Amino acid sequence: MDILLQFIETTGFAQMTWGNAIMIIIGIIFISLAVIKDYEPLLLLPIGFGAVVGNIPFVANMALGVYDDGSVLNYIYFGVRQGVFPPLIFLGIGAMTDFSTMLSNPKLILLGAAAQIGIFLTLMGALFLGGLLDNLSFGIREAAAIGIIGGADGPTSIFLASKLAPDLLGAIAIAAYSYMALVPVIQPPIMKLLTTKQERLIRMKAPREVGKREKVIFPIAAFLISALVVPGALTLLGMLFLGNLLKESCVTERLAQTARTSMIDIVTILLGFSVGASTQASNFLTGKSLCIFGLGATAFCIATAGGVLFAKFMNLFLKDKINPLVGAAGVSAVPDSARVVQMVGQQEDPDNFLLMHAMAPNVAGVIGSAIAAGILWSILVS
Amino acid sequence: MNSVAEAWQAVVTSEPNGVAVSIAGMLIVFVSLVAISAFIAALPRVLELISKIFPDSETKAVTDHDRVAVAIAAALYREKYGSSN
């Protein structure tokens, strides 16, 4: 009988806290959003299930959780904690990304730069909020890791958080991926608010055809330029451009195929699941996490507005006008934000196809956010 | 809850200064992407120059050999099937 009672005490039911229950419900909401609403299912489903797994209480000495040395989950989480998974995901992204539209219209790259303002204003916002609230403060390293959510780039957010604020990694990753999933909800109101109907109707010139030589030279040259300016970004950008070179060189099709299919899928499963499992209630349900969610949403909104407003600013000087909606795609979140641009554009003019144009700032945003992460890491590493 | 002035102090007294980090960061992002953009803008002209020296398959002009081959093919076709006109 004693053994039976002792066993009952070890069950999840007996040890369940309110926090665990809330996190399990949040995990199930994520899974529901993925299955029913089709919001970023490749990410939200493993993260959601990971959150359910990570919040099943267990006996302290069993070494089952993400934070327990020697546990299986701890080994998988190693890839997140040490920033191994994000560069591997970038390799896959590089192997599936076509930079042609960016190469055909290089001025659109500036929109990808402008949208990064969300990162840096949120950094200041986090420091400000920490100074405003008595019982909560963020150091500048934590503020930088929170700000990077504005890059709308999950792997980059995880990479920088693992380097600068490992304690906040779970909350930052969940916030980044949640908002990426909510791009179709967050961006359109801001895009419509900041543009006139006439601006949304602007049709852009069709992109020119880009030669193979340009496509092959681009990843090598762009890597050299960006990594020499910001060596901190070389892991992320190195893998991104290696993946793209595998694709564009046409001589390593097998490797490119593996990088953009099997490999990125495997890493996405491991990353999503282990990030989800890292949201144990005791670590995750804190005031800081709530602030991170609030600041992350602010970062996303500022980044979107930054891209749109900069496109309007560029139009003051350009003969061939840019549709300012395209600026919203500068927030990375490939390719969702580009799809949102297409969707909002077509609401005004069903024959206006902005998707290809939006892909240029979209991929420039990926490069921009990786550079921003490299800069912040370089400045704050000491 | 502290005052706004105190909160702003947290931004400017952080080590390094939060405002300086943000401005410098934004500037470096822009410089890097402008450099990439300028390179991409110049690339077609550079490649045009290079292709004059080392023509590749994309830009190779149609040679006399190609024209002769097409003419022979057309002549053979007419001989075998007759002219369509």
Side-chain angles (χ1 to χ4, degrees), chain A residues 278-297:
Chain A
S278 73
T279 61
Q280 291 174 358
S282 52
N283 296 308
F284 192 78
L285 289 180
T286 61
K288 276 195 173 180
S289 297
L290 279 178
C291 286
I292 288 169
F293 271 80
L295 288 163

Side-chain angles (χ1 to χ4, degrees), chain B residues 67-83:
Chain B
R67 291 199 183 96
V68 170
V70 170
I72 291 170
L76 285 173
Y77 181 87
R78 271 201 214 102
E79 195 177 298
K80 195 168 180 184
Y81 300 108
S83 172

Side-chain angles (χ1 to χ4, degrees), chain A residues 102-103 106-107 109-110 112-114 116-117 120 123-124 127-128 131-132 134 140 208 211-214 217-218 221 225 229-230 310 364 367-368 371-372 375-376 379-380, chain B residues 1-4 6-8 10-11 14-19 21-22 24-26 28-30 32-37 39-41 43-44 47 50-51 54-56 58:
Chain A
M102 196 178 89
L103 294 173
K107 60 179 174 285
I109 292 176
L110 300 182
Q116 307 314 316
I117 196 166
F120 296 102
L123 184 157
M124 289 200 284
L127 289 172
F128 186 84
L132 200 63
D134 283 326
I140 191 158
R208 72 173 171 84
K212 186 188 165 190
R213 270 189 180 182
E214 279 178 81
I217 291 170
F218 168 71
I225 293 169
V229 176
V230 190
F310 197 76
I367 300 171
I371 289 175
I375 293 165
L376 291 171
I379 294 174
L380 302 174
Chain B
M1 174 118 36
N2 299 317
S3 69
V4 171
E6 282 173 310
W8 181 247
V11 180
S14 66
E15 189 54 47
N17 182 323
V19 179
V21 169
S22 298
M26 200 61 215
I28 300 168
V29 169
F30 252 99
S32 307
L33 288 181
V34 165
I36 293 174
S37 177
F39 173 81
I40 294 171
L43 189 58
L47 285 178
I50 292 172
S51 63
F54 308 106
D56 71 349
E58 279 180 295

Side-chain angles (χ1 to χ4, degrees), chain A residues 144-145 148 155-166 236 372-374 376-377:
Chain A
I148 203 74
T156 305
S157 302
I158 289 172
F159 184 80
L160 192 66
S162 71
K163 303 296 177 197
L164 294 182
L236 289 173
L376 291 171
W377 190 24

Side-chain angles (χ1 to χ4, degrees), chain A residues 10 57 78 86 123 134 174 179 188 236 242 262-263 300 357:
Chain A
T10 67
F78 175 87
L123 184 157
D134 283 326
I174 296 286
Y179 293 132
L236 289 173
L242 169 63
S262 324
M263 209 192 71
F300 242 77
H357 301 290

Side-chain angles (χ1 to χ4, degrees), chain A residues 171-380:
Chain A
I172 288 171
I174 296 286
Y177 281 119
S178 305
Y179 293 132
M180 280 167 68
L182 292 174
V183 157
V185 180
I186 296 172
Q187 286 198 310
I190 300 167
M191 292 158 75
K192 287 176 185 169
L193 189 72
L194 297 175
T195 53
T196 62
K197 186 179 170 66
Q198 266 188 330
E199 285 172 329
R200 293 197 290 273
L201 286 170
I202 292 175
R203 289 196 178 196
M204 294 171 67
K205 262 172 58 176
R208 72 173 171 84
E209 203 175 313
V210 177
K212 186 188 165 190
R213 270 189 180 182
E214 279 178 81
K215 289 182 183 176
V216 173
I217 291 170
F218 168 71
I220 302 166
F223 170 70
L224 284 172
I225 293 169
S226 48
L228 286 172
V229 176
V230 190
L234 76 85
T235 326
L236 289 173
L237 291 177
M239 294 303 253
L240 178 79
F241 288 126
L242 169 63
N244 192 246
L245 190 59
L246 293 176
K247 171 182 180 282
E248 300 298 352
S249 66
C250 298
V251 291
T252 49
E253 188 45 38
R254 273 172 51 195
L255 302 186
Q257 179 69 10
T258 304
R260 68 173 161 253
T261 53
S262 324
M263 209 192 71
I264 196 169
D265 289 346
I266 292 167
V267 178
T268 301
I269 293 169
L270 296 177
L271 183 141
F273 179 70
S274 55
V275 163
S278 73
T279 61
Q280 291 174 358
S282 52
N283 296 308
F284 192 78
L285 289 180
T286 61
K288 276 195 173 180
S289 297
L290 279 178
C291 286
I292 288 169
F293 271 80
L295 288 163
T298 313
F300 242 77
C301 297
I302 296 171
T304 304
V308 173
L309 291 175
F310 197 76
K312 286 166 72 111
F313 175 72
M314 283 173 73
N315 276 345
L316 297 176
F317 309 98
L318 293 173
K319 203 172 81 180
D320 295 325
K321 303 289 183 202
I322 299 169
N323 188 318
L325 294 177
V326 166
V331 301
S332 316
V334 179
D336 290 6
S337 55
R339 278 195 209 132
V340 168
V341 170
Q342 164 82 357
M343 184 190 79
V344 176
Q346 289 204 320
Q347 282 171 2
E348 299 294 344
D349 176 3
D351 295 327
N352 195 2
F353 295 94
L354 293 172
L355 185 66
M356 289 306 288
H357 301 290
M359 281 308 291
N362 211 188
V363 292
V366 175
I367 300 171
S369 56
I371 289 175
I375 293 165
L376 291 171
W377 190 24
S378 307
I379 294 174
L380 302 174

